[in-house]
């Protein structure tokens, strides 16, 4: 985590240094040498900012740079006497509530948590998702889920994969994906009003020889998978010099790994077999097997084989989440 702290008095700077040492951050003394606005702008793209001083100073400093809750950093204000640690921005998704509690544990301060779900000890979908590495795809729907829980209503959820443990109070499994107000899946729910949570995805790719990058782009667009959730790609080693495949992954910023036919054939499971692929590369399926192998232990299919235009795609994710991750 990239944590930056700024203080405005000698006493506050001493506290900032203590916190930086304990939490792995970098502290500076604001003043003529370090301008507040310049410092805030320079570090607002990081993970977390801590202002040791008055809350008003922090509010005015961050106001010009705030965008939306999915990208804003955690911002916490601590008074120089370490009496209070107050999250003022991105309490859930950015982790400001968690950071304030950590500061409170270190200093004996009181963490002043003002988010409504925390105040009533209710399930917070964004906190739960962040703790498990699930990406919130439509953050605006968080308030719909939270509002229902705060009103004492039951929120229906649907997940493509089993979620171990007991669902928190206020949540119940939906009989169908279409009924759910919260959906955990690799592809979007039909209702745009439903909160969509997507895990990190590993993309398995098969393709014909000398495939063009444009064909791969078209196949990926057809898959419906969110590009921002893909963390890596994989294919068979005979494709490791395919210029179009390499350009496709490089353009997306995805690392790609390659596996031998023997490694792919050893992956357990049921796959969409192809006699042609078996004869050509020595294994009956490339994309589904490669996706699972790249995802590693605990991997589960996220998208079955999709074929078209000389490209086959599949996706997998690593399942290690449960209902106990909510704060």
């Amino acid at each position: 985590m990239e944590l930056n702290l700024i203080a405005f008095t000698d006493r506050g700077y001493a506290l900032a240094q203590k916190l930086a040492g304990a939490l792995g951050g970098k502290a500076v003394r604001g003043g003529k040498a370090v301008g507040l606005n310049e410092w805030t702008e320079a570090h607002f793209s990081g993970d977390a900012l801590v202002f040791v001083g008055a809350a008003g100073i922090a509010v005015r400093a961050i106001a010009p740079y705030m965008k939306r809750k999915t990208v804003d950093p955690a911002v916490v204000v601590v008074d120089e006497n370490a009496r209070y640690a107050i999250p003022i921005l991105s309490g859930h998704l950015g982790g400001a509530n968690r950071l304030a509690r950590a500061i409170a544990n270190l200093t004996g301060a009181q963490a002043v948590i003002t988010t409504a779900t925390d105040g009533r000890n209710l399930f917070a979908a964004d906190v739960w998702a962040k703790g498990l590495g699930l990406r919130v795809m439509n953050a605006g729907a968080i308030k719909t889920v939270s509002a229902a829980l705060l009103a004492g209503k039951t929120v229906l959820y649907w997940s493509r994969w089993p979620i171990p443990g007991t669902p928190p109070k206020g949540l119940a499994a939906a009989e169908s994906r279409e009924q759910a107000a919260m959906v955990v899946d690799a592809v979007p729910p039909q209702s745009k009003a439903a909160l969509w949570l997507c895990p990190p995805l590993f993309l398995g790719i098969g393709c014909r020889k000398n495939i063009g990058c444009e064909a791969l782009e078209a196949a990926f667009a057809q898959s419906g998978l969110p590009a921002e959730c893909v963390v890596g790609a994989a294919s068979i080693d005979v494709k490791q010099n395919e210029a179009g495949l390499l350009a496709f992954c490089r353009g997306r910023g995805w690392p790609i790994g390659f596996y031998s036919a023997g490694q792919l054939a050893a992956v357990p499971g049921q796959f969409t077999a192809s006699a042609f692929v078996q004869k050509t590369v020595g294994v009956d399926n490339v994309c589904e097997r490669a996706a699972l192998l790249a995802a590693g232990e605990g991997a589960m299919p996220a998208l079955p084989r999709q074929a078209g235009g000389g490209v086959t795609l599949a996706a997998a994710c690593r399942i290690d989440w449960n209902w106990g991750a909510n704060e």
Side-chain angles (χ1 to χ4, degrees):
M1 179 177 71
E2 182 186 338
L3 171 63
N4 288 282
L5 306 92
I6 189 169
F8 309 100
T9 65
D10 291 340
R11 185 181 181 88
Y13 183 47
L15 175 58
Q17 288 179 305
K18 174 184 175 181
L19 294 174
L23 299 172
K26 181 179 179 182
V28 299
R29 172 71 154 83
K32 293 182 179 180
V34 180
L36 174 60
N37 292 336
E38 293 76 14
W39 179 89
T40 305
E41 181 179 14
H43 297 101
F44 204 76
S45 59
D47 298 313
L49 303 179
V50 174
F51 292 80
V52 181
I57 293 175
V59 169
R60 285 190 293 270
I62 67 174
Y65 310 109
M66 293 166 55
K67 296 179 181 177
R68 56 189 182 278
K69 63 167 62 183
T70 54
V71 297
D72 288 338
V75 179
V76 176
V77 175
V78 186
D79 65 287
E80 66 173 25
N81 295 309
R83 291 175 179 160
Y84 304 104
I86 311 168
I88 63 170
L89 184 66
S90 204
H92 285 169
L93 282 178
N97 288 0
R98 187 180 296 112
L99 178 58
R101 292 186 179 112
I103 291 172
N105 289 335
L106 286 169
T107 63
Q110 178 181 349
V112 183
I113 310 298
T114 59
T115 41
T117 49
D118 295 86
R120 294 206 215 166
N121 199 28
L122 295 174
F123 174 79
D126 42 358
V127 175
W128 180 73
K130 181 178 176 63
L132 297 175
L134 303 174
R135 182 181 288 270
V136 178
M137 300 305 298
N138 52 344
I142 293 172
K143 61 184 178 182
T144 303
V145 172
S146 297
L149 292 170
L150 289 166
K153 298 178 181 179
T154 298
V155 172
L156 298 179
Y157 74 89
W158 185 92
S159 174
R160 182 166 296 279
W161 310 274
I163 303 175
T166 303
K169 180 181 177 181
L171 264 64
E175 293 183 0
S176 68
R177 191 173 185 267
E178 292 71 28
Q179 291 178 327
M182 185 175 82
V183 172
V184 183
D185 201 356
V187 293
Q190 289 183 344
S191 171
K192 293 183 179 180
L195 176 61
W196 177 23
L197 307 178
C198 182
L201 301 173
F202 294 83
L203 187 67
I205 307 173
C207 60
R208 68 169 180 254
K209 188 175 182 180
N210 297 323
I211 194 76
C213 182
E214 297 81 3
L216 287 156
E217 289 285 0
F220 182 75
Q222 186 66 30
S223 75
L225 295 172
E228 57 267 49
C229 291
V230 177
V231 295
S235 189
I236 192 167
D237 56 5
V238 297
K239 300 296 180 182
Q240 60 188 338
N241 294 317
E242 286 286 347
L245 175 59
L246 296 177
F248 169 65
C249 292
R250 184 170 56 249
R252 296 279 187 171
W254 300 335
I256 182 168
F258 296 94
Y259 301 103
S260 68
Q263 288 175 303
L264 293 174
V267 178
Q270 294 183 337
F271 304 100
T272 307
S274 167
F276 174 77
V277 174
Q278 176 74 52
K279 181 180 179 180
T280 304
V281 298
V283 65
D284 63 356
N285 178 292
V286 170
C287 61
E288 291 174 333
R289 291 177 179 274
L292 287 169
L293 195 56
E297 185 177 356
M300 293 287 287
L303 183 78
R305 178 180 180 271
Q306 309 287 306
V311 178
T312 60
L313 295 178
C317 62
R318 188 162 47 243
I319 307 296
D320 54 7
W321 57 73
N322 54 62
W323 285 118
N326 191 44
E327 289 185 341

